């Protein structure tokens, strides 16, 4: 049996040193070999692997810092900057277009979520994530203090874990309540990744100044929970836009959107409570005296609340 010889294409080394200029029209390109797969390409981009066959750069530090990195991330029509801008300005239309197949310009949803969460958590951990002051910690039972510390350590060490764990639950709730939008579970799962990544940026922008100002204005500790308000408002707005193409009454669209956000927020609090309970059980198993100390500190305060009021003397 005769073997069929395949013709090989010699890759021009000069292409590796080409200088990026203004993109020429496809008809102006002479056929060249793709440096990635060797396919003969007449257009700018290889139809076999998608690489730019006529504007391949020599990798230098200057090129990476001044062109490749900004171009890949913040390019006006592609990358994470483009995706974030679209999710801020027209999220519903963006998600509908992505699910319909217009995906080339966008960052992949899971990568979008993981990258944004990592950057935001790095910023928050740099300024300190402990919401309690030193005086409050001194009066706090050791079990409560250690539980908060363990939770913050877990949250800082695995910043994307809670998002990944909540994604299926959030997607299931959204698929159920927003079913007129006709997204299946997999599509809603990716849509939740886009929404969660964007809300992480919004929450960080709100929480970061509050965390920086709290040491100077301790009263801000009581308003930390308000940092969730922009997240809830934005998410409800996104869901309302997802339902825009449907023929439902406007009131029903808002009821479904707000109801989905409320249930997802309850799921978030429930997951946090489960983590806290697991940490408490772990700490008590390691040191049972922590529970006794907690009971002893609670006993005087309970007795003070139930003590009879002093009678006025005559």
């Amino acid at each position: 049996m005769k073997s069929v010889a395949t013709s090989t294409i010699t890759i021009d080394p000069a292409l590796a040193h080409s200088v990026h200029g203004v993109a020429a029209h496809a008809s102006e390109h002479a056929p060249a070999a793709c440096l990635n797969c060797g396919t003969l390409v007449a257009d700018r981009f290889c139809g076999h692997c998608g690489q730019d066959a006529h504007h391949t750069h020599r990798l230098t530090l200057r090129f990476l810092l001044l062109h490749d990195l900004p171009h890949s991330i913040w390019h006006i029509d592609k990358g994470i900057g483009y995706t974030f801008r679209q999710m801020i300005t027209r999220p519903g239309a963006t998600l509908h277009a992505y699910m319909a197949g217009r995906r080339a310009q966008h960052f992949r949803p899971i990568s979008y979520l993981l990258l944004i969460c990592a950057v935001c958590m790095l910023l928050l951990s740099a300024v300190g994530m402990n919401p309690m002051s030193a005086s409050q910690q001194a009066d706090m039972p050791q079990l409560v203090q250690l539980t908060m510390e363990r939770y913050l350590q877990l949250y800082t060490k695995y910043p994307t874990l809670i998002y990944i764990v909540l994604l299926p639950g959030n997607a299931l709730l959204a698929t159920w309540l927003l079913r007129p939008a006709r997204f299946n579970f997999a599509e809603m799962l990716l849509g939740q990744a886009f929404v969660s990544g964007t809300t992480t940026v919004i929450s960080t922008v709100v929480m970061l100044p509050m965390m920086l100002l709290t040491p100077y204005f301790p009263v801000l500790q009581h308003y930390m929970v308000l940092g969730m308000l922009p997240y809830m408002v934005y998410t409800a707005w996104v869901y309302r836009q997802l339902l825009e193409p449907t023929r439902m009454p406007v009131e029903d669209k808002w009821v479904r959107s707000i109801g989905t956000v409320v249930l997802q927020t309850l799921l978030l609090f429930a997951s946090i409570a489960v983590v806290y309970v697991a940490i408490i059980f772990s700490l008590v198993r390691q040191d049972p005296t922590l529970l006794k100390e907690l009971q002893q500190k609670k006993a005087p305060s309970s007795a003070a609340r139930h003590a009879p009021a002093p009678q006025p003397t005559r």
Side-chain angles (χ1 to χ4, degrees):
M1 184 176 180
K2 295 182 178 179
S3 60
V4 180
T6 56
S7 59
T8 58
I9 299 175
T10 304
I11 298 176
D12 185 3
L15 283 175
H17 301 270
S18 61
V19 180
H20 182 74
V22 179
H25 192 270
S27 60
E28 298 178 9
H29 289 301
C34 173
L35 295 179
N36 184 55
C37 64
T39 303
L40 190 63
V41 182
D43 296 327
R44 175 175 175 178
F45 295 97
C46 176
H48 184 262
C49 68
Q51 178 167 292
D52 190 336
H54 294 270
H55 297 81
T56 306
H57 294 261
R58 174 73 181 274
L59 296 178
T60 63
L61 185 60
R62 181 176 181 274
F63 170 74
L64 290 176
L65 295 178
L66 300 183
H67 178 82
D68 191 61
L69 185 61
H71 180 89
S72 300
I73 298 179
W74 304 112
H75 197 268
I76 191 171
D77 61 354
K78 192 174 184 180
I80 192 172
Y82 173 81
T83 299
F84 178 76
R85 186 166 54 254
Q86 295 299 307
M87 287 300 299
I88 286 292
T89 57
R90 46 193 299 272
T94 299
L95 292 178
H96 275 291
Y98 187 88
M99 303 311 168
R102 299 180 61 182
R103 304 167 187 169
Q105 294 92 345
H106 291 285
F107 218 66
R108 291 186 177 275
I110 301 299
S111 300
Y112 176 81
L113 172 62
L114 296 180
L115 179 60
I116 284 181
C117 288
V119 173
C120 290
M121 287 304 303
L122 183 63
L123 291 175
L124 291 175
S125 60
V127 301
M129 295 184 60
N130 193 347
M132 307 299 293
S133 63
S135 59
Q136 290 174 320
Q137 290 181 1
D139 299 332
M140 187 183 300
Q142 191 177 7
L143 178 60
V144 178
Q145 184 176 347
L146 289 175
T147 301
M148 293 184 62
E149 291 177 357
R150 289 280 183 92
Y151 177 80
L152 291 176
Q153 290 173 1
L154 180 67
Y155 194 67
T156 306
K157 188 175 181 179
Y158 306 103
T160 59
L161 180 61
I162 190 169
Y163 293 96
I164 298 300
V165 170
L166 289 178
L167 270 184
N170 287 339
L172 188 62
L173 289 172
T175 304
W176 170 46
L177 290 174
L178 305 177
R179 55 186 177 274
R182 299 184 181 277
F183 282 7
N184 61 37
F185 177 75
E187 291 170 336
M188 193 61 77
L189 189 69
L190 296 181
Q192 288 297 314
F194 278 132
V195 174
S196 298
T198 308
T199 54
T200 300
V201 176
I202 296 173
S203 299
T204 302
V205 170
V206 175
M207 294 296 296
L208 197 58
M210 295 183 69
M211 294 175 66
L212 290 172
L213 294 174
T214 296
Y216 308 99
F217 305 97
V219 69
L220 290 177
Q221 292 178 359
H222 303 292
Y223 300 97
M224 283 290 186
V225 70
L226 295 180
M228 293 195 64
L229 188 60
Y231 144 77
M232 299 180 69
V233 171
Y234 169 80
T235 307
W237 176 59
V238 174
Y239 295 159
R240 169 63 180 81
Q241 287 202 359
L242 285 180
L243 295 173
E244 184 63 33
T246 66
R247 297 182 179 180
M248 296 173 57
V250 175
E251 296 80 6
D252 290 350
K253 294 177 182 178
W254 278 114
V255 168
R256 285 181 178 271
S257 302
I258 296 174
T260 305
V261 173
V262 170
L263 289 180
Q264 289 179 341
T265 305
L266 292 176
L267 179 62
L268 171 64
F269 286 140
S271 64
I272 293 175
V274 169
V275 174
Y276 264 91
V277 170
I279 294 174
I280 290 173
F281 272 105
S282 174
L283 290 172
V284 171
R285 286 185 62 185
Q286 295 174 6
D287 187 359
T289 60
L290 293 174
L291 185 59
K292 295 180 180 179
E293 187 250 356
L294 176 65
Q295 294 171 344
Q296 290 172 356
K297 283 200 171 184
K298 280 190 172 182
S301 59
S302 178
R305 285 197 303 267
H306 293 86
Q311 298 295 327
T313 57
R314 295 180 179 180

